[in-house]
Amino acid sequence: MCGIIGYIGKKSTKDILLDSLELLEYRGYDSAGIALFPDGANEPVVNKVAGRVSRLREVCAGLTDEACAGIGHTRWATHGGVSDENAHPHQNGRVTLVHNGIIENYKELVKEYDLKDKLISETDTEVAAAVLNQLYDGDPEKALRELISLLKGTFAFAVIFADQPGKIYAVRNVSPIVVAMTEHGAMLASDVAALGVHAKEYAFLPEYQVACLSSKGIVVHDEKKHEIPLQLMTIDWDTSRGGKGGYAFYMEKEIHEQPDAIKDTVAPHIVDGKTSFEAEGIPNSFFRENQNIVVIACGTAMHAGLIGQQLFHTLANIHTDVAVASEFTYTNPVIKPGTLVIAVSQSGETVDTIEAIKYAKKKGAKVLSIVNVKGSTISDISDYCIYTHAGPEIAVASTKAYTSQLTVFYLLAIHAARLNGLVSEEESSKFLNELQRVPEVIGQILEKKEFVKKMTSKFLLSENAFMIGRGLDYSLLLEGSLKLKEISYVHSEAYASGELKHGTIALITDGIPVVALVTQSALASKEYSNIREVQSRGASMILITRESLYKDMNIPEDDTFILPEMDDMFMPFPAAVVMQLIAYYTSYTKGFDVDKPRNLAKVVTVE
Amino acid sequence: MCGIIGYIGKKSTKDILLDSLELLEYRGYDSAGIALFPDGANEPVVNKVAGRVSRLREVCAGLTDEACAGIGHTRWATHGGVSDENAHPHQNGRVTLVHNGIIENYKELVKEYDLKDKLISETDTEVAAAVLNQLYDGDPEKALRELISLLKGTFAFAVIFADQPGKIYAVRNVSPIVVAMTEHGAMLASDVAALGVHAKEYAFLPEYQVACLSSKGIVVHDEKKHEIPLQLMTIDWDTSRGGKGGYAFYMEKEIHEQPDAIKDTVAPHIVDGKTSFEAEGIPNSFFRENQNIVVIACGTAMHAGLIGQQLFHTLANIHTDVAVASEFTYTNPVIKPGTLVIAVSQSGETVDTIEAIKYAKKKGAKVLSIVNVKGSTISDISDYCIYTHAGPEIAVASTKAYTSQLTVFYLLAIHAARLNGLVSEEESSKFLNELQRVPEVIGQILEKKEFVKKMTSKFLLSENAFMIGRGLDYSLLLEGSLKLKEISYVHSEAYASGELKHGTIALITDGIPVVALVTQSALASKEYSNIREVQSRGASMILITRESLYKDMNIPEDDTFILPEMDDMFMPFPAAVVMQLIAYYTSYTKGFDVDKPRNLAKVVTVE
């Protein structure tokens, strides 16, 4: 999280920084700040405030447009609360810098460098600035290399030295930095979202190498000060998709983009009516029955993996685990030789997932990643990568990236089933037809969005909610529940219906909203028994089911959503969209900033 | 859940029924009722009320003591709310019965037997009574066999027919019934807890066989009306352990019994200073590195399995999955040949776990169970069984059963590690010494219980709470969080600290209580970073850590609990006891009935 920007060029540095920070704001919006180095000044001038970039823009209204270099930052707070002091950039002596990541050993550094009385903020970042200032003897590269050898943790720094006007230095470990030469100057940023307006090509800064941006261009040096050529990549996102396109929030727009995102993700992988991953070069041996698969991911992507797990089990008879990335790396998981790790990440920069991939590779696993952003770290360090074609997702709460990830799992599972001879060509073809029907079915849900909006009245006054389901329904509700948590601030918890009785049902009392999802034919009668159990404790029910499984449970029509019919296995798609709309309209009606929920950032680049 | 009792004998039937129902009340306490068949009457007389057995006792105060037979029931509501009408026994025509379980196809039966206008209650049970009455032509066994052939679901019935005075019939599928001949008459009950006062021996009623209790004794018939001999088992629980022993609640008593329970569970499995499972006949091949283990359990027992999983991974390099039993059976898990299923259940009657075991056995798995109640269904259907020696656990919230289950996992994991040559004899011996130190360390925690009581003030006014930790700490907090939910009605949710940022941190605002557990040396610095993240969002912290890992986080002393030092791997034991005490005192201080939390029952015998 946190967004970093740097610019040296002919346009107004202030404007470029502020505009870019707005594009990076989904990475964090606790505070924002910029440092401008006015031509001829002795040091950069810092302006920073707690709150959004819009507030920073007000504060900076009177500032000069002329500067020889500038860096900026939008913050997701880790060390130290949300305040003006803790905002970046941080200055110490000749050093002014912005930082993304976490420095784990900052307290040790405070002692070692005797900084206790020399710090203004509570941040780990200011400690790095102070240490760098002590190390700096006029050679920026040398000082930066010394600094990073002292740090434990993850970081991406953009630094201006007071005696080096017209230059920005950058270095990183794990946390991303991309650089680009535009027609009007050199830029660096945390991700490509901030560069698309200005550049057609960009490059990731290699870890532990030092970049120097100046009016002459971008130079990257390795530890021996040899220049490293940049690996340029094309920005191929359709920039006309940008903006909210008439929707109130990006999230609503992105919910509506799902039919296209799924179509675009399916299309390249059906060749002559059959699944194909030849373009990615993925060997068929990955999908044999004796294979072990471990899906590694965080949050929403991990929830996509839980659906994937059931598909691999049911269709392909391949044993599949799903691991929370942050736990995986540190709990000594048993990785058998030949294990296939499937890593899932929208941004491709999720640091917990990166660490888990590195760990699994050390243990001999092969890594296939499912990623939305081309050229990102995860696609780079994986053996194979399948791209989702969701396009840029701006809202912090993921929608189209999730259903696109699901789509890839459906493609992979039927592919594996066919390779293992567990489905006939005809069955495989029928499956793919049903998958291709998903966009149309989602369209039907979207037509009923006003109905869903009315259903959300139950969540407006309740701090708590529960969601119950079995099998695929349970996995889907984990995601539905997370959506409601992250943008609507309702403490919603999804439970496997059978587990509720083992304790949590104690929390079900008069009027507690409980969402029940019933889409799986074989589990419906058991699920309706569970619904009766919570009803008899006074729960206020919302029932989401399908015509063929509907049972009259004395739940009012307004609180019952009937999903379009699909094969059982595909029901997570329409159900996902209903859950997204529930979360969206709850947040919307409560008057929250749907796209930028409190405390959250889009790309999680700290552990 | 639900408790069933039946009695025919020389003592006061009313008193025996009411006293027994109180002993069975931990199985459910939504409503209670008894049917007494007075000598010479035409049919049994039913008294039943919503609420506890104590209320039923008041209602029954004026009733005759003389009866030739009687049945009783304490209910955990499934179909139909908590009301007098929905309480058992249910009567229809010549049939009076009590039921434990769920009849899934009761709506279909209502249609098929045209019962729509003939029912008083909303229960599935009354439908069974009405169908049985239609089937009954004077031959109770024949009618019962016809009935059970029509039913989908689980059930245990005790039935009195109006024209069969002095007889009680019983039949069951999955839901348990035990029978016993006492010196003063014949008894049946849902479990042995109700029989211990009267009998020294008992037997489980075999599934689908019909028992008839009369003054002549207990006769069980198979489908050909051949008599089946009872498999008698001894009741060997120390009945002197009964009662609350001066504690305010059973839960407090059971928390204090943990040192003994752990000692008693360890003792039989250390022979000549080494782990041994020879007495149980468990083959060493179960613990080879190429083995796959799947732990199957529900609720608290499943949480014990999550700790077990990490032990098997870390110590024995054996790949281990943990499955929620109710999900396992219906999600097509891949069970490879030779897979070892470890099923965990305090009562040995958890119906979801029973179904999962049956499923796994069909797929060729071997089953080793960890059970606290001898002769229970799960120990019966497993290939091997290790008993925990926790003694009877009366409080609904499990404490000593959980730590005893943990103890067995520690024994199994080091056993496997030694067999696989991954630890030396010396390391194994050191491990066992540390395990044997656990009772003493728990004693140290118990001495500080008043301190914990003070810490609970944070939970008294908050509806919501979060708990964060990594690795073993996270697994332990899932259990700690469940405890707080089930008896204190705080919506507490445990999160892997690394996952919090992927959405749920949106719920952290000023004053939300967050418990952080930091006991694992290798994870402490990352965990303290996560603590800072929630602190910077205004969380009100409780820190549970150990001296060697303590960091000053500006958390008041009163909100910091320093655990005694043990090897990292053993820290879940002292941490578990602190979490139990937190839940206990929160519930106690709020004035709740700690032992009988609302909506819950001890033994979950419905799916």
Side-chain angles (χ1 to χ4, degrees), chain A residues 9 200 375 461 504 599:
Chain A
K200 295 264 171 262
L461 291 172
T504 302
N599 300 345

Side-chain angles (χ1 to χ4, degrees), chain A residues 117-192:
Chain A
D117 304 322
K118 296 168 191 161
L119 301 171
I120 299 159
S121 77
E122 308 153 310
T123 63
D124 51 344
T125 304
E126 193 187 2
V127 175
V131 173
L132 182 58
N133 185 54
Q134 289 198 20
L135 299 172
Y136 182 55
D137 63 0
D139 182 342
E141 271 192 63
K142 185 169 146 262
L144 281 168
R145 289 204 180 279
E146 273 181 59
L147 173 70
I148 61 180
S149 72
L150 297 171
L151 301 182
K152 227 179 114 181
T154 61
F155 48 81
F157 291 110
V159 191
I160 295 178
F161 294 88
D163 56 351
Q164 309 275 349
K167 284 182 184 166
I168 301 171
Y169 288 86
V171 68
R172 74 180 193 99
N173 167 38
V174 184
S175 308
I177 289 184
V178 291
V179 294
M181 271 311 296
T182 73
E183 287 179 3
H184 49 82
M187 289 184 82
L188 69 80
S190 288
D191 66 50
V192 71

